[in-house]
Each structure stands twice: as structure tokens, then as C-alpha cells.
Amino acid sequence: MSELRYNPLLDTYVMVAANRQNRPNLPKDWCPFCPGQDKKVPNHYDVFNYPNDFPVLSNLDAPAMFDVDNESDLYQKKNAIGGSEVILYTSKHEEQFYNLLDEHVLKLIDLWIERFNFYKKYDEVKYVFLFENKGEAVGVTMHHPHGQLYAYPFIPLKIKTELINAKKYYEKHHVNLFDEILNEELKNNQRIIFENDTFVMYLPFFTDYPYGVFIQSKKDKLYISDFNNNEQKDLVEVLKNTTGMFDSLFDKSFPYMMCMHQGAINDEEFTETQQRQFYRFHIEFYPPLRNENTIKYYASSEMGAWAAANTRAVEDTAVELKNALNKYQLSSTK
């Protein structure tokens, strides 16, 4: 049974999903995402999605799980209605994202868009979050290439903070904050790793992580569904370059969290029209390594005070990533 518990200190919700305690953890002789291993997965597929077996948010069409009985005016809870899905990138258990054919990745983007559009129709859903956890260092329990989707009945706090600050900046300066950030990075140029017609991959001046690259749209795009066919091909290129670059950095599988940040939906405070003025689609990567064999932990200052400390100057790590990207690109053309 999943529920939302309101946190009055932060004006947000904590999702309580005790069922997730029962998730399988790195089984050695079985993978539920491989064809023919689980009744929910077809015998043949390129990309595939299905409801998470251990959801943090319950199906929108399911009946209410319990009658809300708040403990007090201060301590409130409600049903965790939304969506939790697994997005399978490929049927091949050992495949790397950057080795997938471009046409295959375009199918994945089509699936992301289809699932976003599905949840956008529900007024109860306020935010659709597409993400991927890769590697045991970030808590992965299944190595098969996959990501996830959460459809929240509230705007998650980090996204809401971005929206608030981007809106304030627009109201004060009458320009889009994301455009300003990108212009500053392009002018400096030290932290730019790669760009094509639609996207720039760079290490932000302010990133928490030594290798915490952003992929940002150059164009006025708010949602994953806004990109046309040519722009989707540019997204394929930048995603393959990013993931290939990471694995080339230390010549091993590189762990990361990939988080797509797009606009809120079905929200009165942040309407689509307003957001298009001040917000931009972008992808944030949180890789936990600070060198080849050392984890950069999010410890007391980061978690307890939200006061991040980056242990490396990104002007230095940008050089490492540029070299790794060049190495990946040379190897991929052979």
C-alpha cells in the first residue's frame, strides 16, 4: 500500500511504499526483463514498458487503497495515485546504450513521448519524471538496460524549486534563465563538451558532481513531446555520446543517475503557457564517482542542509570528459 505523507517543513510529500522492500536484488541466474523470463515481458521486443511490480505510486485507474484518515491538521496523508513504470531499452541483457542503433533509440524516444502523453491527459498528474539509474553505486537492483517513469500527483520539490527560481528570474530580467545559463557556458567554452543543432552537453559552472553533465535544449522546448523528428535524432546523438563518453572515461561501466527535467502539467500555478516563457527541457546527470575508484558521497552537508560541495573543479574534469568523448567517437567509427 502506497501513500503520500505531507512534510510541512518543506511543503512537499514523502512517498511511503513499504512494498518496495520486497524487490529482487541482482539475481544471478534470472532477469525479469529478459524475453521469456516473466509473463509481463513479451518473448520478442525492441523497447517495452509495463507497470512496476513494486510501485511507489499506484495505478490511476485503480480504486482508492484506503479511506484517508489524517492524524491531525498538521499530519496529513493521501493516496499515492499516479504511475510507476519500467521502461526497457532493449531485450539484450548485456547491451550498452551507446551501442544501440540510432533507429532503436528513436523507438525508445517514441515510447518516452507516448507515455508522457498518456499521463498528461490525467488532471491528477502534475509531473512526469523519466529517469535511469545505472550501476550498483546508485542502488541498481537489475543490470538489464532500463529506465523508469514516475507520474507524480504533485510537483517534486527539486523541480518546483527550479520552476520558482526560473519564473522569478524571468519576472525580474524578462529573459529565460536557461538561455542565460547556456549563453554564459557557450561564451566561457571551457565546460562545453559537445553540441549539435538542438542540444548542448556541458558541465555547469555550479554542478554538484565532478562529472555531472547537463544536456540542454537550445530551442524553446518544454516537454519531451515537443521535439520533431530531426531534433529527436539530435537527442539520440547526444545521449549516445554522453553514455559512450562516460564508459570511455575509465574504460569501465560508469554509474550515473539520468534525470529528465521538463515542465509541470495540469497545474494552475505553473501553466504551460507561462512555463514556456521561463523554463527549458534539459537532462541532468548525477554520476557518483569523483575519480576512477572513489565515490563522491552525498553526505551530511548535502543531504542534511542541501549545501553541496563539489570535490573537483569542473574546468579540470571537463578536459577529462572531452578526451573521453574523443576516445569514444574514435572507437565507434572503427
Side-chain angles (χ1 to χ4, degrees), residues 246-265:
F246 280 152
D247 274 13
S248 297
L249 181 61
F250 301 127
D251 293 317
K252 67 178 185 180
S253 183
F254 189 91
Y256 60 73
M257 295 164 275
M258 180 188 76
C259 303
M260 292 192 189
H261 286 201
Q262 54 186 339
I265 55 177

Side-chain angles (χ1 to χ4, degrees), residues 268-282:
E268 294 180 359
E269 181 181 359
F270 299 106
T271 67
E272 180 175 331
T273 301
Q274 290 176 327
Q275 289 178 94
R276 289 191 181 279
Q277 295 177 319
F278 60 76
Y279 201 71
R280 289 285 183 274
F281 176 94
H282 63 288

Side-chain angles (χ1 to χ4, degrees), residues 168-184:
K168 284 166 57 177
Y169 193 91
Y170 180 80
E171 290 172 346
K172 182 177 181 179
H173 300 284
H174 308 291
V175 290
N176 186 294
L177 176 57
F178 288 88
D179 290 346
E180 293 285 274
I181 290 171
L182 195 54
N183 289 337
E184 191 75 17

